Amino acid sequence: MNEKKKTLELWLTCFVLEGFLLYGETTTAVSETWPVLGDYLEYWLYFLYLLVLVKVVIQKKSWLEWLVTAGLLGLVELTRITTQTNAVLWFAAGLLLAKDIDLARVLKTDLLTRIVMAAALIVLPLIGLYPFATGDWGNGRIRYSFGWSHPNELGLFLLMLCAAWVYLRYKRWCWKDNAAMLLLVVLLDYLANSRTSEISILLLLLLVNFYRFLQKRGIPAETQRRLWQTLAFLSVFGICILSFVLFIGYSDSIGIFQVFPGTMSARFILAQRFWSGEGFTLLGQLFDSGTYGYLDMLYAYLSLNMGLLVTVGYLLLLVFTVRRAGKDGNEGLLLILTAFQAYSLLEHEHFKIIYGFYPLLLGYGLWPTAGEITGWLERKKSGGKSA
């Protein structure tokens, strides 16, 4: 690939990724506090879509990759029409941006952006230059979110920061990293009480420390690679199977969900009621939040709201990415994907690129897999001719 073109694609990816993040973290506060600026934010979003299109057009693709792109965009449009949301579009944007990028450089850019943005979203509300979001969010205690519209957004923001941190530091992880990240978890719990993010950060910490333990014990690199790939696959299929067994196996009885903590069991029950009342669809369906509350647990957002095609596509992307990361010896990505399965089971905001780079990670395995299939088909075709 031409070096200048490669650099252009990298900068486009970084700019669009951080542009979506800026939109996601400011749109609620701006629309509620300065509604006159809402139109300008929408123009910004259209500009980002245009840049995604530019990157798609300048990319060198095989016929199969173009077919995948067309199919992805078609699915996005059909799902957008049936669900009346842009969620799948924001997910697909990350997949399209992921082709031919240096993931480490992209995550380094995202980490730096998050540090600056976190400082701004904490300091600006405190000095009165930006809306300060805080209050009792239903659990009897004050939860702060500073410039984020909800404490869980603050939690996800910091989880993404920790994921990039682990990816860039996992081979050199030390006690200072542990101390700093544990302090971050304590502050997150005290200020925002964002439990899902806290659990996922602690899981990341556990995984990266286990990685370092194996590294210090001199475990062969190939053995470690296979171990982390197996663990990632088990987390993917374990969570998937658990979700659908709980949905289908307990459709007439919701007693099992009562064993979880209060807010969690309530959301399990809401998802269960939505499944019992509406069932699965191929392309998704409108979600009535007035009737069913908050649809989140057990991949309910993907499978029930977005549809079975999106859910199957997501699981295939996970398989492709875990396979590719194992093949490349990219244990850092396997650590992140394993930890995020816990988050995916309980919440869903990370599927949208306006909150983070998770969709970009899933594109890591999509395009190389499409390239492998193209090569295999061409070899088969060539072999058939020569015969």
Side-chain angles (χ1 to χ4, degrees):
M1 178 185 293
N2 180 278
E3 193 62 33
K4 289 184 178 179
K5 181 171 174 288
K6 188 175 181 179
T7 302
L8 173 62
E9 288 196 32
L10 177 65
W11 280 107
L12 274 174
T13 300
C14 291
F15 185 87
V16 173
L17 179 64
E18 306 315 318
F20 274 118
L21 179 62
L22 178 65
Y23 173 85
E25 301 300 347
T26 59
T27 182
T28 301
V30 168
S31 62
E32 292 179 356
T33 309
W34 306 297
V36 69
L37 298 178
D39 290 340
Y40 293 101
L41 268 180
E42 289 305 306
Y43 294 143
W44 173 251
L45 189 59
Y46 297 146
F47 176 62
L48 296 176
Y49 291 150
L50 178 62
L51 293 184
V52 173
L53 179 62
V54 169
K55 188 173 190 298
V56 169
V57 170
I58 68 174
Q59 288 170 347
K60 183 179 179 181
K61 289 188 177 72
S62 66
W63 63 268
L64 181 58
E65 289 170 333
W66 278 114
L67 191 61
V68 169
T69 301
L72 181 62
L73 293 177
L75 177 61
V76 164
E77 182 60 16
L78 290 173
T79 305
R80 189 190 65 80
I81 292 171
T82 56
T83 63
Q84 295 296 297
T85 71
N86 289 325
V88 180
L89 176 58
W90 293 331
F91 181 77
L95 302 179
L96 295 172
L97 289 171
K99 182 172 167 57
D100 296 332
I101 61 168
D102 183 335
L103 187 57
R105 292 178 67 181
V106 172
L107 293 189
K108 185 178 292 185
T109 301
D110 188 80
L111 180 62
L112 294 173
T113 302
R114 282 179 185 275
I115 291 172
V116 173
M117 191 177 292
L121 290 178
I122 291 173
V123 173
L124 292 179
L126 291 177
I127 61 177
L129 296 179
Y130 194 79
F132 186 80
T134 185
D136 181 354
W137 295 88
N139 62 352
R141 61 173 287 184
I142 297 297
R143 299 176 66 190
Y144 296 92
S145 46
F146 299 97
W148 291 268
S149 63
H150 191 282
N152 287 348
E153 284 190 20
L154 169 58
L156 177 57
F157 186 94
L158 294 181
L159 171 58
M160 287 291 181
L161 186 150
C162 291
W165 181 357
V166 166
Y167 187 86
L168 297 169
R169 285 278 301 168
Y170 73 99
K171 290 184 178 179
R172 304 182 303 279
W173 201 261
C174 65
W175 69 268
K176 295 178 182 178
D177 297 285
N178 284 329
M181 197 169 285
L182 282 173
L183 177 61
L184 192 65
V185 173
V186 171
L187 289 173
L188 180 58
D189 182 71
Y190 177 75
L191 294 170
N193 192 225
S194 182
R195 293 296 173 83
T196 306
S197 294
E198 294 164 24
I199 290 170
S200 300
I201 293 173
L202 289 173
L203 182 55
L204 264 176
L205 262 177
L206 176 65
L207 292 170
V208 73
N209 278 283
F210 186 49
Y211 172 86
R212 287 292 287 157
F213 170 77
L214 295 178
Q215 200 175 41
K216 290 177 180 178
R217 290 292 299 270
I219 305 298
E222 179 64 17
T223 302
Q224 289 194 56
R225 181 189 68 79
R226 291 183 181 277
L227 170 65
W228 291 113
Q229 187 177 33
T230 301
L231 185 61
F233 272 129
L234 287 175
S235 70
V236 169
F237 288 109
I239 294 297
C240 172
I241 292 170
L242 173 65
S243 298
F244 284 95
V245 165
L246 285 176
F247 263 146
I248 297 171
Y250 293 91
S251 59
D252 297 322
S253 172
I254 58 177
I256 187 173
F257 300 112
Q258 302 288 359
V259 303
F260 298 100
T263 56
M264 187 180 294
S265 63
R267 290 189 183 178
F268 276 123
I269 292 169
L270 287 172
Q272 173 61 224
R273 284 175 178 164
F274 189 86
W275 177 79
S276 299
E278 308 298 333
F280 295 115
T281 59
L282 279 180
L283 294 171
Q285 57 194 317
L286 290 171
F287 174 64
D288 182 0
S289 58
T291 302
Y292 295 104
Y294 194 70
L295 189 62
D296 224 351
M297 304 294 192
L298 299 173
Y299 285 105
Y301 174 75
L302 285 181
S303 59
L304 297 177
N305 189 193
M306 296 291 106
L308 284 179
L309 287 181
V310 171
T311 307
V312 171
Y314 167 68
L315 293 173
L316 284 175
L317 287 169
L318 274 174
V319 171
F320 294 157
T321 302
V322 170
R323 174 181 172 273
R324 187 68 194 184
K327 190 174 182 179
D328 293 345
N330 192 342
E331 291 98 343
L333 182 52
L334 294 172
L335 295 176
I336 294 173
L337 290 174
T338 301
F340 264 110
Q341 297 320 301
Y343 194 94
S344 298
L345 178 64
L346 303 175
E347 295 191 16
H348 69 261
E349 298 297 343
H350 60 305
F351 294 123
K352 306 169 188 176
I353 199 173
I354 61 171
Y355 292 114
F357 51 76
Y358 189 69
L360 200 73
L361 301 183
L362 299 177
Y364 179 93
L366 172 62
W367 303 109
T369 302
E372 290 176 2
I373 294 173
T374 302
W376 179 80
L377 290 173
E378 289 178 348
R379 287 193 298 272
K380 291 285 287 184
K381 183 178 180 181
S382 175
K385 285 185 176 180
S386 62

